[in-house]
Amino acid sequence: MKNHAWRPFLVAGGAVALLLTVRANVVPSDFGVNGRNFTYGFYRKGAIAYWKAVKVKYRGREYCQDCHEDKEKAIMASPHKIIQCENCHGPAIDHPDNPPKLTIDRSRGLCLRCHALLPYPGTNRASIPGIDPDEHNPRQACVDCHNPHHPNLEDMK
Amino acid sequence: MNPSRRKFVKTALAGGLAAALPLSALKMLSPAEAHASIGNDKVRWAFVVDTEKCVGCGLCVKACKLENEVPYDAPVTRTWVERYVITRDGKSHIDTPKGGRDGFTSPKIRDEVIPADEITQAFFVPKLCNQCSNPACVQVCPVGATFQTDDGVVLVDRSWCIGCGYCIMACPYGVRFFHPVYKTAEKCTFCYHRISKGLKTACVQACPFGARQIGNLKDPSDPVTKIIMTQRVAVLKSEYGTKPQVYYIGFDERVR
């Protein structure tokens, strides 16, 4: 049958075939309804492996104690035992291989996160001894006088 | 050849093809797929925030940014801490300088000095992705780049996201943002790389005061499950029907 009307159909068919071929090659095979339903579970399964493979950087205090036993012992016998080492020294990642040393932050800002006096009697903040940073030995590092790993006032030098 | 028979065969073929087309669009679920669609029956992650314990030190925000490689000085963060100070005149003074990353070290709020005897209530509210059971952000994604895992965590597929920003607009809690480096939508993952290894999230581990906890709702002996089952907890903006999985202790109606 010869009819000019078939041509557009052929072109359209070709376009659909091309689209399907491209789709088959571009869309990963693990893409589809992988979860609960189409609305919430339409995704590429490999994305889960991607997020699981993110590197763990914060290792926790248990990781430090073998090599920095003195610091660990001191802090555990002080009111700072609730603070993780890495909160003040940054993430260990693969320390001591990489980085070989962790940061030492002697800034007042580190201590003021918890110790800056805020007039909020109803909060847990009020249970931490607070100082007014403008009054309490300004312009001097807190750790010149206080031991961050053992801040107990009765043991002060 | 009988022309009417030829016509019949043709119509039958065309009709058959047309009928088969939508059938191929529907897919039969295998038993495994059907099971998966009901969800993982062993783990369902949930989070408890105890606002009464939070002191606003911001160590959670610092830990989150460093653990999850969120640019430290960019004004974006996956989790943040808000300060609410309520004065006698009924006004709420709210701020979150740098998302609370460096803590709250001054009683000034947005350069405003609030006299201590004017304050009736003050509290800190840590915020993070609510990992909703019905996440609005996932519903609006046009390309299937964000989704809910079987254990209830909403993730973004960085290689699939086109950065259109619909999800950022759709989230009622404003927890999503545009990642300045990857140029894709970014959000809290409940530290999926940590919880799937049995570790706590970076923020939970960093919090010295136990204001943040993560646990498995499917485990009845999990402390988080016990809190949610037995204590007075509230979720943010429950009227949106998103069914958040971050539960707040010491909730205040002024917190939005």
Side-chain angles (χ1 to χ4, degrees), chain B residues 233-249:
Chain B
V233 290
V235 295
L236 294 172
K237 299 185 184 170
S238 61
E239 67 274 18
Y240 281 66
T242 48
K243 296 214 166 65
Q245 296 305 314
V246 175
Y247 297 84
Y248 283 83
I249 301 176

Side-chain angles (χ1 to χ4, degrees), chain A:
Chain A
M1 190 171 55
K2 270 213 172 113
N3 189 335
H4 69 282
W6 281 110
R7 281 205 203 139
F9 282 112
L10 281 176
V11 172
V16 168
L18 186 72
L19 200 80
L20 288 177
T21 328
V22 169
R23 183 180 183 274
N25 284 297
V26 171
V27 176
S29 58
D30 57 351
F31 200 98
V33 180
N34 293 317
R36 208 166 123 196
N37 52 30
F38 177 75
T39 310
Y40 299 119
F42 182 62
Y43 63 97
R44 191 177 63 92
K45 234 183 179 149
I48 291 188
Y50 172 90
W51 285 111
K52 280 189 179 167
V54 172
K55 184 148 181 63
V56 170
K57 298 168 195 78
Y58 277 79
R59 308 290 293 265
R61 182 154 55 204
E62 294 69 36
Y63 177 73
C64 324
Q65 66 194 19
D66 295 338
C67 303
H68 300 287
E69 207 191 337
D70 51 333
K71 298 284 181 298
E72 214 261 344
K73 278 231 172 74
I75 209 163
M76 291 314 279
S78 86
H80 276 183
K81 64 173 173 286
I82 55 170
I83 313 174
Q84 290 281 339
C85 315
E86 287 161 298
N87 278 341
C88 298
H89 292 294
I93 313 177
D94 289 327
H95 166 77
D97 296 332
N98 170 43
K101 282 187 176 192
L102 295 188
T103 34
I104 290 182
D105 180 2
R106 289 173 47 88
S107 72
R108 286 168 71 89
L110 176 66
C111 315
L112 293 177
R113 282 172 177 266
C114 296
H115 288 294
L117 185 66
L118 297 179
Y120 309 148
T123 62
N124 196 19
R125 180 76 171 234
S127 67
I128 304 174
I131 49 119
D132 180 344
D134 299 331
E135 301 287 326
H136 190 82
N137 309 298
R139 284 180 297 281
Q140 216 180 329
C142 315
V143 288
D144 281 350
C145 304
H146 300 287
N147 178 352
H149 307 121
H150 196 76
N152 308 39
L153 289 181
E154 64 273 18
D155 295 345
M156 257 173 91
K157 328 152 213 173

Side-chain angles (χ1 to χ4, degrees), chain B residues 109-146:
Chain B
I109 295 186
R110 302 179 195 279
D111 291 328
E112 188 189 346
V113 186
I114 296 166
D117 52 2
E118 284 293 310
I119 298 172
T120 55
Q121 276 178 51
F123 46 91
F124 297 97
V125 184
K127 295 242 178 110
L128 68 162
C129 172
N130 285 293
Q131 314 290 1
C132 304
S133 290
N134 299 328
C137 54
V138 174
Q139 291 172 17
V140 300
C141 180
V143 295
T146 185

Side-chain angles (χ1 to χ4, degrees), chain B residues 159-205:
Chain B
S159 67
W160 212 242
C161 175
I162 57 172
C164 70
Y166 281 177
C167 55
I168 300 173
M169 307 301 281
C171 174
Y173 309 98
V175 303
R176 284 186 174 237
F177 57 93
F178 200 63
H179 196 292
V181 176
Y182 294 102
K183 314 282 185 208
T184 55
E186 176 78 1
K187 69 181 289 297
C188 160
T189 61
F190 267 5
C191 283
Y192 207 63
H193 59 296
R194 296 178 63 98
I195 56 175
S196 55
K197 290 187 187 73
L199 300 168
K200 299 287 179 201
T201 68
C203 59
V204 168
Q205 188 181 62

